[in-house]
Amino acid sequence: MSQATVRSWLADPDDETTYRRMTRGTRRLLATVVLLDGAGLLDDKFVAAIDTFDRLLNEGDARLDRALQVLQAAELTDGETEDEDGG
């Protein structure tokens, strides 16, 4: 995510030219990162594991592809939408 995206999330919601609403998934991910950091678990080893996972995703690792397909199928069946704010 770019700095411009983060700035747009922090902009005044009334500023239609700059403001960008954060998706539900992004809010959850950010909350997870804050909780991990608050618990002292967001160390260099954890960040390296995230980088490895990202690399495998970008390289198309078959195991991760299957895991993502399962997660996507579960998301389709849980009855929730991406936008919890109704928009």
Side-chain angles (χ1 to χ4, degrees), residues 5-45:
T5 299
V6 174
R7 282 189 201 112
S8 67
W9 290 334
L10 299 173
D12 181 355
D14 294 329
D15 182 359
E16 294 180 13
T17 61
T18 308
Y19 179 70
R20 180 174 172 188
R21 198 166 47 84
M22 195 181 299
T23 64
R24 178 180 181 199
T26 303
R27 283 193 305 270
R28 284 182 171 182
L29 182 57
L30 182 58
T32 301
V33 170
V34 169
L35 288 170
L36 288 169
D37 187 50
L41 300 174
L42 196 59
D43 57 10
D44 290 338
K45 186 175 179 179

